[in-house]
Amino acid sequence: MASRERYLLTRDKVERMLDARTADEAIRSLVELGYGDGTESVSAAEFETLLSGELEKTYKLVIGMVPEQAYFEVLLYPNDYHNIKALLKAEFLGISAEGLLIDAGVFSIDEITEMIQGRNYSAMRENMAQGVEEAIEAYGTTGDPQAVDLILDRACYKDMSVLANALGIGFIKGYLSLKIDTINLKSYVRVRAMKKPRDFFSKIFIEGGSVPERLYIGGYDETVEHFADRLDTYGLKDVFVEGSQMLKDTGRFTALEKLCDNLILDYMQEAKFVTCGIEPLIAYIVAKESEIKTARIIMAGKLAGLPAESIRERVRDTYV
């Protein structure tokens, strides 16, 4: 996997994109890294197509290296659920889902489309089928697209937890636990900032992380400083304090999101010390996902005409 890592976006290349005079100049850095076929001319306005294609290419490359896809399905499940959400929302709104789907799930785009449009869930995992039915019912009752997201996100991470436990690989279980912890932490900070009642947080809390729901609920009315001490044992104290302070100072959640993503990327660094195992391949996919998120932030900022320093504040760390 080390041979592929040299094609990842380094900090120097991130800075080059940030300092580019135009969005078209910035996207050339991605083409030079091998995005697309590495040679074609791509306009800045087409960056989403370029990034989606790179994500799909990454999954196919890595999965093709091993005989057993099950090790990677824990990372493929979110793409299936993304496609389900896109298909359902497109149906509810009477629009096409074309261009919104990712061809990098356990199910192909054609398969998942036929399942949703035909309401045939027999090939789905139990949590997925139940989540789809609940989401459809919830939208019919509330007309709220956010209800679709909440229900399917919880089903997705339940599916991921079941698989991670079945695989029994500590690195994968640790990654998923940390991923869920960061999602819950971001939700908690948002809910508190919006002054929602604590039972609202219970509705969106995702099981499967190391931080129990009761810890969040028990500290709901505490100051940032006091609640931060509760998180110290779980390695989330500094992220919570810094992210909360930035939110207080600027009214933006971007610092917390960035810090949480960096925490996951730091965890992935452990894979560099594994010479024989699935860990480096898992880390490469997660690193590539982070890279694509960074590229998206930069390209969106460039097209919006934001100054480099403003974009730089949101850019994640790099794996290499």
Short mmCIF file of all heavy atoms in Angstrom, two decimals, residues 116-157:
data_model
loop_
_atom_site.label_atom_id
_atom_site.label_comp_id
_atom_site.label_asym_id
_atom_site.label_seq_id
_atom_site.Cartn_x
_atom_site.Cartn_y
_atom_site.Cartn_z
N ILE A 116 -35.31 0.13 -4.11
CA ILE A 116 -36.07 1.27 -3.58
C ILE A 116 -37.29 1.56 -4.44
O ILE A 116 -38.41 1.72 -3.92
CB ILE A 116 -35.17 2.52 -3.49
CG1 ILE A 116 -34.02 2.28 -2.51
CG2 ILE A 116 -35.99 3.74 -3.05
CD1 ILE A 116 -34.45 1.94 -1.10
N GLN A 117 -37.12 1.61 -5.73
CA GLN A 117 -38.25 1.92 -6.59
C GLN A 117 -39.30 0.82 -6.59
O GLN A 117 -40.50 1.08 -6.70
CB GLN A 117 -37.75 2.19 -8.02
CG GLN A 117 -36.92 3.46 -8.13
CD GLN A 117 -36.44 3.75 -9.54
OE1 GLN A 117 -36.54 2.90 -10.43
NE2 GLN A 117 -35.92 4.94 -9.76
N GLY A 118 -38.85 -0.43 -6.45
CA GLY A 118 -39.78 -1.55 -6.44
C GLY A 118 -40.25 -1.95 -5.05
O GLY A 118 -41.07 -2.87 -4.91
N ARG A 119 -39.70 -1.26 -4.02
CA ARG A 119 -40.03 -1.57 -2.63
C ARG A 119 -39.82 -3.06 -2.34
O ARG A 119 -40.61 -3.71 -1.68
CB ARG A 119 -41.48 -1.18 -2.30
CG ARG A 119 -41.79 0.31 -2.44
CD ARG A 119 -41.01 1.14 -1.42
NE ARG A 119 -41.53 2.49 -1.31
CZ ARG A 119 -41.00 3.57 -1.91
NH1 ARG A 119 -39.92 3.43 -2.70
NH2 ARG A 119 -41.51 4.77 -1.74
N ASN A 120 -38.72 -3.58 -2.85
CA ASN A 120 -38.36 -4.97 -2.64
C ASN A 120 -37.09 -5.02 -1.81
O ASN A 120 -36.00 -4.75 -2.31
CB ASN A 120 -38.15 -5.67 -3.99
CG ASN A 120 -37.82 -7.15 -3.82
OD1 ASN A 120 -37.71 -7.65 -2.70
ND2 ASN A 120 -37.66 -7.85 -4.92
N TYR A 121 -37.23 -5.36 -0.54
CA TYR A 121 -36.11 -5.30 0.39
C TYR A 121 -35.56 -6.68 0.75
O TYR A 121 -34.79 -6.82 1.71
CB TYR A 121 -36.53 -4.58 1.68
CG TYR A 121 -37.33 -3.31 1.45
CD1 TYR A 121 -38.50 -3.06 2.17
CD2 TYR A 121 -36.92 -2.38 0.51
CE1 TYR A 121 -39.23 -1.90 1.97
CE2 TYR A 121 -37.65 -1.22 0.29
CZ TYR A 121 -38.80 -0.99 1.03
OH TYR A 121 -39.53 0.16 0.81
N SER A 122 -35.94 -7.70 0.02
CA SER A 122 -35.57 -9.07 0.38
C SER A 122 -34.06 -9.31 0.39
O SER A 122 -33.56 -10.14 1.15
CB SER A 122 -36.25 -10.07 -0.57
OG SER A 122 -35.87 -9.83 -1.91
N ALA A 123 -33.32 -8.58 -0.44
CA ALA A 123 -31.87 -8.77 -0.51
C ALA A 123 -31.12 -7.90 0.50
O ALA A 123 -29.91 -8.02 0.66
CB ALA A 123 -31.36 -8.48 -1.92
N MET A 124 -31.85 -7.01 1.17
CA MET A 124 -31.22 -6.10 2.12
C MET A 124 -30.97 -6.77 3.46
O MET A 124 -31.66 -7.72 3.83
CB MET A 124 -32.12 -4.87 2.35
CG MET A 124 -32.22 -3.91 1.20
SD MET A 124 -33.22 -2.46 1.69
CE MET A 124 -33.09 -1.46 0.21
N ARG A 125 -29.99 -6.26 4.18
CA ARG A 125 -29.80 -6.67 5.56
C ARG A 125 -30.99 -6.19 6.39
O ARG A 125 -31.66 -5.22 6.04
CB ARG A 125 -28.49 -6.08 6.10
CG ARG A 125 -27.26 -6.52 5.32
CD ARG A 125 -26.01 -5.80 5.76
NE ARG A 125 -26.07 -4.37 5.49
CZ ARG A 125 -25.79 -3.83 4.30
NH1 ARG A 125 -25.46 -4.59 3.28
NH2 ARG A 125 -25.86 -2.53 4.13
N GLU A 126 -31.23 -6.86 7.50
CA GLU A 126 -32.43 -6.58 8.31
C GLU A 126 -32.49 -5.12 8.77
O GLU A 126 -33.54 -4.46 8.67
CB GLU A 126 -32.46 -7.50 9.53
CG GLU A 126 -33.68 -7.30 10.40
CD GLU A 126 -33.70 -8.24 11.61
OE1 GLU A 126 -32.80 -9.11 11.70
OE2 GLU A 126 -34.60 -8.09 12.45
N ASN A 127 -31.37 -4.60 9.27
CA ASN A 127 -31.37 -3.21 9.75
C ASN A 127 -31.65 -2.23 8.62
O ASN A 127 -32.33 -1.22 8.82
CB ASN A 127 -30.02 -2.88 10.40
CG ASN A 127 -29.82 -3.58 11.72
OD1 ASN A 127 -30.75 -3.72 12.50
ND2 ASN A 127 -28.60 -4.06 11.97
N MET A 128 -31.11 -2.53 7.45
CA MET A 128 -31.31 -1.64 6.31
C MET A 128 -32.78 -1.64 5.87
O MET A 128 -33.38 -0.58 5.68
CB MET A 128 -30.42 -2.06 5.14
CG MET A 128 -30.62 -1.23 3.88
SD MET A 128 -29.54 -1.75 2.51
CE MET A 128 -27.99 -0.98 3.02
N ALA A 129 -33.35 -2.84 5.73
CA ALA A 129 -34.75 -2.94 5.30
C ALA A 129 -35.68 -2.24 6.29
O ALA A 129 -36.58 -1.49 5.90
CB ALA A 129 -35.15 -4.40 5.15
N GLN A 130 -35.42 -2.46 7.58
CA GLN A 130 -36.24 -1.83 8.60
C GLN A 130 -36.07 -0.31 8.57
O GLN A 130 -37.04 0.44 8.71
CB GLN A 130 -35.86 -2.37 9.98
CG GLN A 130 -36.70 -1.82 11.12
CD GLN A 130 -36.32 -2.44 12.46
OE1 GLN A 130 -35.68 -3.48 12.52
NE2 GLN A 130 -36.71 -1.78 13.53
N GLY A 131 -34.84 0.15 8.35
CA GLY A 131 -34.58 1.58 8.30
C GLY A 131 -35.29 2.25 7.13
O GLY A 131 -35.84 3.35 7.26
N VAL A 132 -35.29 1.59 5.97
CA VAL A 132 -35.96 2.14 4.79
C VAL A 132 -37.46 2.27 5.05
O VAL A 132 -38.07 3.31 4.76
CB VAL A 132 -35.70 1.26 3.55
CG1 VAL A 132 -36.58 1.72 2.38
CG2 VAL A 132 -34.24 1.32 3.15
N GLU A 133 -38.06 1.23 5.60
CA GLU A 133 -39.50 1.27 5.88
C GLU A 133 -39.84 2.37 6.87
O GLU A 133 -40.82 3.10 6.70
CB GLU A 133 -39.96 -0.09 6.40
CG GLU A 133 -39.93 -1.19 5.34
CD GLU A 133 -40.36 -2.54 5.87
OE1 GLU A 133 -40.24 -2.76 7.10
OE2 GLU A 133 -40.83 -3.36 5.07
N GLU A 134 -39.02 2.50 7.92
CA GLU A 134 -39.26 3.55 8.92
C GLU A 134 -39.09 4.94 8.31
O GLU A 134 -39.85 5.86 8.63
CB GLU A 134 -38.31 3.37 10.10
CG GLU A 134 -38.62 2.17 10.98
CD GLU A 134 -37.66 2.05 12.14
OE1 GLU A 134 -36.83 2.97 12.32
OE2 GLU A 134 -37.73 1.05 12.88
N ALA A 135 -38.10 5.10 7.45
CA ALA A 135 -37.84 6.40 6.83
C ALA A 135 -39.01 6.82 5.93
O ALA A 135 -39.43 7.98 5.95
CB ALA A 135 -36.55 6.35 6.03
N ILE A 136 -39.51 5.87 5.16
CA ILE A 136 -40.65 6.16 4.28
C ILE A 136 -41.88 6.55 5.10
O ILE A 136 -42.58 7.52 4.79
CB ILE A 136 -40.95 4.95 3.37
CG1 ILE A 136 -39.81 4.73 2.38
CG2 ILE A 136 -42.28 5.15 2.63
CD1 ILE A 136 -39.92 3.45 1.58
N GLU A 137 -42.10 5.81 6.16
CA GLU A 137 -43.25 6.10 7.03
C GLU A 137 -43.09 7.45 7.71
O GLU A 137 -44.05 8.24 7.80
CB GLU A 137 -43.40 5.00 8.09
CG GLU A 137 -44.59 5.20 9.01
CD GLU A 137 -44.72 4.09 10.05
OE1 GLU A 137 -43.96 3.12 9.97
OE2 GLU A 137 -45.59 4.23 10.93
N ALA A 138 -41.88 7.75 8.19
CA ALA A 138 -41.64 9.02 8.88
C ALA A 138 -41.84 10.21 7.95
O ALA A 138 -42.42 11.23 8.34
CB ALA A 138 -40.22 9.04 9.46
N TYR A 139 -41.35 10.08 6.71
CA TYR A 139 -41.54 11.19 5.77
C TYR A 139 -43.02 11.36 5.44
O TYR A 139 -43.50 12.50 5.32
CB TYR A 139 -40.75 10.95 4.48
CG TYR A 139 -40.82 12.14 3.55
CD1 TYR A 139 -39.98 13.23 3.74
CD2 TYR A 139 -41.75 12.18 2.52
CE1 TYR A 139 -40.05 14.34 2.91
CE2 TYR A 139 -41.83 13.29 1.68
CZ TYR A 139 -40.98 14.37 1.88
OH TYR A 139 -41.07 15.46 1.05
N GLY A 140 -43.73 10.26 5.31
CA GLY A 140 -45.16 10.35 5.02
C GLY A 140 -45.92 11.04 6.14
O GLY A 140 -46.92 11.71 5.89
N THR A 141 -45.42 10.89 7.36
CA THR A 141 -46.09 11.49 8.52
C THR A 141 -45.68 12.94 8.74
O THR A 141 -46.52 13.80 9.05
CB THR A 141 -45.77 10.68 9.80
OG1 THR A 141 -46.18 9.33 9.61
CG2 THR A 141 -46.47 11.27 11.01
N THR A 142 -44.37 13.22 8.56
CA THR A 142 -43.85 14.55 8.90
C THR A 142 -43.52 15.43 7.70
O THR A 142 -43.48 16.65 7.82
CB THR A 142 -42.58 14.41 9.76
OG1 THR A 142 -41.53 13.83 8.95
CG2 THR A 142 -42.82 13.52 10.97
N GLY A 143 -43.23 14.80 6.57
CA GLY A 143 -42.78 15.57 5.40
C GLY A 143 -41.41 16.19 5.60
O GLY A 143 -41.01 17.10 4.88
N ASP A 144 -40.65 15.66 6.57
CA ASP A 144 -39.35 16.23 6.93
C ASP A 144 -38.22 15.35 6.39
O ASP A 144 -38.03 14.23 6.86
CB ASP A 144 -39.24 16.33 8.45
CG ASP A 144 -37.92 16.95 8.91
OD1 ASP A 144 -37.17 17.44 8.05
OD2 ASP A 144 -37.67 16.94 10.13
N PRO A 145 -37.44 15.84 5.41
CA PRO A 145 -36.32 15.05 4.87
C PRO A 145 -35.28 14.71 5.92
O PRO A 145 -34.59 13.69 5.81
CB PRO A 145 -35.73 15.97 3.78
CG PRO A 145 -36.84 16.92 3.44
CD PRO A 145 -37.59 17.13 4.72
N GLN A 146 -35.16 15.56 6.96
CA GLN A 146 -34.16 15.29 8.01
C GLN A 146 -34.50 14.00 8.76
O GLN A 146 -33.60 13.30 9.23
CB GLN A 146 -34.09 16.47 8.98
CG GLN A 146 -32.95 16.33 10.00
CD GLN A 146 -32.86 17.50 10.94
OE1 GLN A 146 -33.88 18.08 11.33
NE2 GLN A 146 -31.65 17.87 11.32
N ALA A 147 -35.78 13.69 8.87
CA ALA A 147 -36.19 12.46 9.55
C ALA A 147 -35.66 11.25 8.79
O ALA A 147 -35.28 10.25 9.39
CB ALA A 147 -37.71 12.40 9.66
N VAL A 148 -35.63 11.35 7.47
CA VAL A 148 -35.08 10.28 6.63
C VAL A 148 -33.60 10.07 6.96
O VAL A 148 -33.13 8.94 7.13
CB VAL A 148 -35.26 10.60 5.14
CG1 VAL A 148 -34.58 9.56 4.26
CG2 VAL A 148 -36.75 10.70 4.79
N ASP A 149 -32.86 11.18 7.04
CA ASP A 149 -31.42 11.09 7.35
C ASP A 149 -31.18 10.47 8.72
O ASP A 149 -30.32 9.59 8.86
CB ASP A 149 -30.80 12.49 7.31
CG ASP A 149 -30.68 13.04 5.90
OD1 ASP A 149 -30.65 12.23 4.95
OD2 ASP A 149 -30.62 14.27 5.74
N LEU A 150 -31.89 10.94 9.72
CA LEU A 150 -31.67 10.46 11.09
C LEU A 150 -31.93 8.96 11.21
O LEU A 150 -31.14 8.22 11.80
CB LEU A 150 -32.57 11.23 12.06
CG LEU A 150 -32.24 12.71 12.25
CD1 LEU A 150 -33.27 13.37 13.16
CD2 LEU A 150 -30.85 12.89 12.84
N ILE A 151 -33.03 8.51 10.65
CA ILE A 151 -33.39 7.09 10.74
C ILE A 151 -32.39 6.22 10.00
O ILE A 151 -31.92 5.20 10.52
CB ILE A 151 -34.81 6.87 10.18
CG1 ILE A 151 -35.84 7.52 11.11
CG2 ILE A 151 -35.10 5.39 10.00
CD1 ILE A 151 -37.23 7.60 10.54
N LEU A 152 -32.02 6.63 8.80
CA LEU A 152 -31.10 5.81 8.00
C LEU A 152 -29.67 5.87 8.52
O LEU A 152 -28.93 4.88 8.41
CB LEU A 152 -31.17 6.24 6.53
CG LEU A 152 -32.49 5.87 5.85
CD1 LEU A 152 -32.56 6.47 4.44
CD2 LEU A 152 -32.66 4.35 5.78
N ASP A 153 -29.27 6.99 9.10
CA ASP A 153 -27.93 7.06 9.69
C ASP A 153 -27.81 6.09 10.86
O ASP A 153 -26.79 5.40 11.01
CB ASP A 153 -27.63 8.49 10.16
CG ASP A 153 -27.29 9.42 9.01
OD1 ASP A 153 -27.02 8.92 7.90
OD2 ASP A 153 -27.30 10.65 9.22
N ARG A 154 -28.84 6.03 11.70
CA ARG A 154 -28.80 5.11 12.84
C ARG A 154 -28.79 3.66 12.36
O ARG A 154 -28.07 2.81 12.91
CB ARG A 154 -29.99 5.37 13.76
CG ARG A 154 -29.95 6.74 14.41
CD ARG A 154 -31.10 6.98 15.34
NE ARG A 154 -30.84 6.44 16.67
CZ ARG A 154 -31.56 6.74 17.74
NH1 ARG A 154 -32.56 7.58 17.64
NH2 ARG A 154 -31.28 6.21 18.91
N ALA A 155 -29.56 3.37 11.31
CA ALA A 155 -29.57 2.02 10.76
C ALA A 155 -28.21 1.66 10.17
O ALA A 155 -27.72 0.54 10.32
CB ALA A 155 -30.65 1.90 9.69
N CYS A 156 -27.58 2.64 9.52
CA CYS A 156 -26.28 2.42 8.90
C CYS A 156 -25.23 2.03 9.95
O CYS A 156 -24.52 1.04 9.78
CB CYS A 156 -25.84 3.69 8.15
SG CYS A 156 -24.19 3.58 7.42
N TYR A 157 -25.16 2.80 11.02
CA TYR A 157 -24.12 2.52 12.01
C TYR A 157 -24.44 1.27 12.83
O TYR A 157 -23.54 0.61 13.34
CB TYR A 157 -23.90 3.75 12.90
CG TYR A 157 -23.08 4.79 12.16
CD1 TYR A 157 -23.69 5.88 11.55
CD2 TYR A 157 -21.71 4.63 12.02
CE1 TYR A 157 -22.95 6.79 10.82
CE2 TYR A 157 -20.96 5.54 11.30
CZ TYR A 157 -21.57 6.61 10.70
OH TYR A 157 -20.83 7.51 9.97
#
